[in-house]
Amino acid sequence: MGIAGDIVIIVVAALLGALLAQRLRLPLLIGYIVAGIIIGPHLGGLTVSGIREIELLAEIGVALLLFALGLEFSFKKLKPVRTIALIGTPLQIVCTVILGIGIGQ
């Protein structure tokens, strides 16, 4: 089918999943996840053929999304939460590491 056909399948499935989620008054992300599960390679139905190419496009999309978010980053918006960000973030990292080590052992 090719990469173009795979992209069409993905976009249509995402649209249908989003419409279903909206109809059920759920977040759109839930619809996207369900659509991804349905067209994924593990259910055996209509699925994409070029999984590696789609993964590469997804990685490029995430990189572009992070770049766009970085362009819109404002220090003015960060200023009111700087105390929470500067104290809470390292504290959360340390707590997560300690909890992970504890569970791992």
Side-chain angles (χ1 to χ4, degrees), residues 8-28:
V8 168
I9 290 172
I10 292 169
V11 170
V12 169
L15 174 69
L16 294 175
L19 290 174
L20 179 66
Q22 187 178 26
R23 178 74 54 134
L24 297 174
R25 297 181 188 259
L26 295 170
L28 295 180

Side-chain angles (χ1 to χ4, degrees), residues 24-47:
L24 297 174
R25 297 181 188 259
L26 295 170
L28 295 180
L29 186 62
I30 302 294
Y32 297 149
I33 291 172
V34 169
I37 291 171
I38 290 172
I39 64 170
H42 301 294
L43 286 185
L46 181 63
T47 175

Side-chain angles (χ1 to χ4, degrees), residues 34-102:
V34 169
I37 291 171
I38 290 172
I39 64 170
H42 301 294
L43 286 185
L46 181 63
T47 175
V48 295
S49 58
I51 295 173
R52 185 64 191 142
E53 291 84 8
I54 297 298
E55 286 177 351
L56 288 173
L57 286 174
E59 290 174 8
I60 292 170
V62 168
L64 292 174
L65 177 66
L66 291 173
F67 179 73
L69 288 174
L71 288 177
E72 294 181 17
F73 185 76
S74 170
F75 286 111
K76 290 179 186 177
K77 292 180 182 176
L78 185 61
K79 197 171 185 178
V81 294
R82 70 174 172 249
T83 306
I84 296 170
L86 293 175
I87 295 172
T89 303
L91 185 64
Q92 181 182 0
I93 292 170
V94 169
C95 290
T96 303
V97 168
I98 290 172
L99 185 65
I101 290 172

